Amino acid sequence: MNAVTLDQLQEYLPFLIPIILVEMALMITALVHVLRHKNYRFGNRILWVVLVVCLQIVGPIVYFTIGRGEE
Amino acid sequence: MSIIEIDQVNKSFGEVSVIKDLSLRVEEHAVYGFLGKNGAGKTTTMKMLLGFLKPDSGEIKICGEKVIYGNARTNRYIGYLPDVPEFYGYMTPKEYLGLCGEITGLKKEVLQRRTVEMLQLVGLEGNNRRIRGFSRGMKQRLGIAQALLNEPKLLICDEPTSALDPVGRKEILDILSIAKGKTTVVFSTHILSDVERICDSVGILDQGRLALQGKVADIKNSYRKDVIEVDLSSGYPIDRIMKLLKEKPYISEITSNDLRLHIQLSGQEKAASQVLRFLSEEEVPLLRYEIMEPSIENVFLEVVQ
Amino acid sequence: MRAFFVFTKKELVEQLRTYKSLILLSVFFLFGMMSPLLAKLLPEILSGMELQGMKIEIPEPTVLDAYGQFFKNLTQMGLLATLLVFGGILSNEMSKGTLINILAKGLPRYTVLLSKFTAAVLLWSASYGLAAGVNYGYTEYLFENTAVHNLGFSLFCLWLFGCFIIAVILLSSTILSGNFGGLILSAGAIVVMLILNIFPGLEKYNPITLASKNVALLLGTATSADLTWNVVITCLLTLGSLLLSAILFHRKRI
């Protein structure tokens, strides 16, 4: 990326910040949930930590909708 | 008045006939133990009482009203505790009882009062944790609380103690003993000692048929087998007394086990006292003399071959 | 009626406490924000890069690119998220047995279905409304000349399709048992609709057209009159699915 795009990124920063904040909030909520619970419908803790952290948006969705176990 | 009237009900799943021509009555204020081996048809019968299953033929009435499958208005008379009650794990016990009460349309003040009473009854008062962290026993107790919330005329419990440890079982039986003052209790079980502890009537279900029913006391009387057990003090020649007793006309059979004599009477009048008189004449050193009561277990095993 | 409100309230509490609201609202909020921004930024980022020594010339993005992104995100990821979030609302309760206590209290089964449908449609509408609102605001801010055709109708079509999918999920859950019964069968239903849309004659009646003609509507190459049949049929199918699921649910052994 060259300097021009960086400038433009700066210009759009007010728009990017809320996006990043919401994504982070989703990720952290999911991550905390993964770490505080032992049982998942399938998969193990490492898998879910990796999925939730690496796959933005999709990771937390999949975790909360089908990965999250009962107690 | 009969709370439950089941008339000639049949039910089969596919080819398998689960309930065969079942008729039974449960009277008001009874504590009715519904006995049977696993697969005898207890849960099926209970689900038909609740309108969750449709009988193939026959009629079921609760408090004189016919049970209609799928939309059982009669359920307003019933409190039901499933064998493994499941709750919304994200709620607290108080919230859950609130939901149950609101669904049935309890007035707000009544609901608040009943919630407090019920949580006290089952020992969950002041427990504001979410239900998802509850143990089996706690869930079972909450199950009773939700079943009794509306002061139902009939409390139906499906194997309420089967999955619990001894402490949990005792807790549930104690709660049911308290509940029986206010409502008719029907509960299924295969644990016979539970029946002896709190039931006054039983029905024994065997392969879909009602093999026996009646008051516990009556059943015990009619199945009294006239058996006497005698313990002798050690050193006494047990074979000698056995030989002598065997010749008596009032004794039909006698067996021994170490120093214990197991005497089956022939059913003659005063046979039991004749045995006692004979033993004292012979100066047999007695440690114990007991006329045996038939246990529900013996009756059950005899009926359910 | 009272029981309906009570159970709907329970459904809403459930959405909140099982993270359904959090997921759907935040994901749709992200789509609303990202779509116009991506449309605006992508050409600039690309044009700043050199690909094998060649400069890529991309025309100035327009408001249609923003809405194109928006509908693409919502009909793909958005629909998938909706399916995942609502896929288990009935299946999970059936397989866990949490409904037994409630039904034993005399709550009619159709009330359970109606409450679940209402609560799900409420959350879907809120999330969709949020996405559309944010998207609209940002598009207005970032682009000049934001006039498009049929915007309201185009948005309505996708909303209606979402409601239809929720009804399909409920129907699927009463047909197929198991934790993922509702999810699998609904996904299957969508695939079938996609395949049916290959036949040009069916496009006029297929509900899925409501989720594929959104940009064409904005462009003006399709008019609301073209989709009248789709709207009518989707409404009827939604009602039909609810009715059929009520009948099947009534017969279901619990």
Side-chain angles (χ1 to χ4, degrees), chain B:
Chain B
M1 185 189 131
S2 295
I3 288 268
I4 299 178
E5 298 167 63
I6 300 181
D7 273 315
Q8 297 171 328
V9 164
N10 288 283
K11 175 77 189 168
S12 42
F13 295 120
E15 292 289 294
V16 190
S17 176
V18 183
I19 298 292
K20 294 161 199 151
D21 196 31
L22 179 69
S23 298
L24 68 82
R25 297 266 180 287
V26 175
E27 301 303 314
E28 204 167 3
H29 295 303
V31 181
Y32 192 91
F34 205 37
L35 275 167
K37 291 189 282 197
N38 289 331
K42 293 170 298 194
T43 300
T44 306
T45 308
M46 294 190 150
K47 288 195 166 175
M48 288 195 289
L49 289 175
L50 289 152
F52 286 173
L53 286 174
K54 192 184 181 125
D56 297 337
S57 64
E59 198 178 62
I60 299 176
K61 283 182 177 171
I62 305 281
C63 298
E65 260 180 65
K66 200 169 181 299
V67 177
I68 296 161
Y69 167 67
N71 195 7
R73 295 264 302 140
T74 40
N75 280 7
R76 68 185 187 277
Y77 300 121
I78 305 177
Y80 175 55
L81 173 66
D83 48 353
V84 184
E86 289 293 347
F87 306 97
Y88 300 115
Y90 53 83
M91 288 187 179
T92 65
K94 214 170 166 178
E95 286 170 336
Y96 190 78
L97 293 185
L99 171 70
C100 293
E102 282 177 23
I103 281 176
T104 47
L106 279 184
K107 288 213 176 63
K108 213 171 174 183
E109 326 66 89
V110 182
L111 176 57
Q112 268 172 358
R113 179 172 54 80
R114 292 291 297 162
T115 303
V116 173
E117 282 173 14
M118 284 302 104
L119 289 177
Q120 258 164 12
L121 173 70
V122 301
L124 288 174
E125 72 270 27
N127 194 328
N128 283 321
R129 281 168 34 211
R130 301 233 166 128
I131 301 171
R132 61 166 160 258
F134 277 23
S135 67
R136 265 311 237 317
M138 287 162 88
K139 282 189 183 174
Q140 213 78 12
R141 282 185 280 147
L142 180 58
I144 296 185
Q146 61 86 22
L148 288 173
L149 185 68
N150 286 59
E151 305 185 290
K153 286 190 170 175
L154 172 63
L155 175 65
I156 296 181
C157 308
D158 191 359
E159 306 256 353
T161 55
S162 301
L164 301 179
D165 60 26
V167 178
R169 270 179 54 202
K170 185 181 171 337
E171 286 169 352
I172 298 294
L173 291 177
D174 289 347
I175 296 169
L176 288 182
S177 306
I178 298 170
K180 75 181 178 188
K182 289 182 179 165
T183 176
T184 309
V185 181
V186 171
F187 79 99
S188 70
T189 184
H190 54 248
I191 301 172
L192 297 149
S193 58
D194 291 356
V195 175
E196 296 212 52
R197 271 195 53 187
I198 65 167
C199 290
D200 46 40
S201 315
V202 291
I204 299 181
L205 203 60
D206 184 35
Q207 293 170 2
R209 287 197 174 83
L210 197 63
L212 180 73
Q213 85 161 329
K215 291 216 183 304
V216 172
D218 295 346
I219 289 177
K220 280 190 171 177
N221 252 333
S222 61
Y223 277 77
R224 195 181 300 286
K225 269 308 220 357
D226 296 322
V227 171
I228 294 171
E229 251 182 33
V230 176
D231 283 1
L232 308 177
S233 63
S234 59
Y236 188 82
I238 196 163
D239 291 340
R240 188 184 85 89
I241 194 75
M242 257 182 88
K243 218 181 215 167
L244 288 172
L245 280 171
K246 246 178 197 161
E247 290 158 10
K248 301 293 173 197
Y250 47 82
I251 289 173
S252 65
E253 210 190 316
I254 183 162
T255 53
S256 70
N257 179 6
D258 208 6
L259 288 168
R260 175 167 296 176
L261 285 177
H262 201 77
I263 304 167
Q264 178 84 53
L265 301 176
S266 63
Q268 246 177 295
E269 229 178 304
K270 291 183 182 169
S273 52
Q274 278 178 299
V275 172
L276 191 58
R277 195 176 309 132
F278 177 77
L279 289 174
S280 63
E281 276 167 9
E282 292 292 316
E283 294 183 344
V284 178
L286 288 183
L287 284 183
R288 189 173 72 97
Y289 170 90
E290 189 179 347
I291 299 175
M292 301 302 286
E293 274 280 306
S295 67
I296 286 289
E297 186 169 353
N298 291 342
V299 175
F300 179 75
L301 289 174
E302 187 165 322
V303 168
V304 178
Q305 283 315 324

Side-chain angles (χ1 to χ4, degrees), chain C residues 152-249:
Chain C
F153 182 72
S154 182
L155 286 169
F156 164 78
C157 284
L158 186 53
W159 174 80
L160 182 64
F161 186 72
C163 298
F164 168 64
I165 289 301
I166 292 168
V168 169
I169 289 172
L170 289 174
L171 177 61
S172 308
S173 317
T174 52
I175 294 174
L176 201 64
S177 302
N179 258 330
F180 296 111
L183 193 62
I184 293 165
L185 213 56
S186 322
I190 293 176
V191 171
V192 168
M193 285 189 280
L194 282 170
I195 293 171
L196 285 178
N197 235 21
I198 295 171
F199 305 103
L202 290 176
E203 210 186 41
K204 246 184 107 175
Y205 311 105
N206 198 335
I208 210 150
T209 309
L210 296 181
S212 64
K213 282 271 191 261
N214 310 81
V215 179
L217 280 168
L218 299 182
L219 271 168
T221 52
T223 64
S224 55
D226 295 337
L227 275 85
T228 313
W229 269 115
N230 303 93
V231 170
V232 171
I233 284 175
T234 306
C235 287
L236 289 177
L237 281 177
T238 307
L239 287 177
S241 301
L242 287 177
L243 214 63
L244 186 58
S245 59
I247 293 167
L248 291 176
F249 192 41

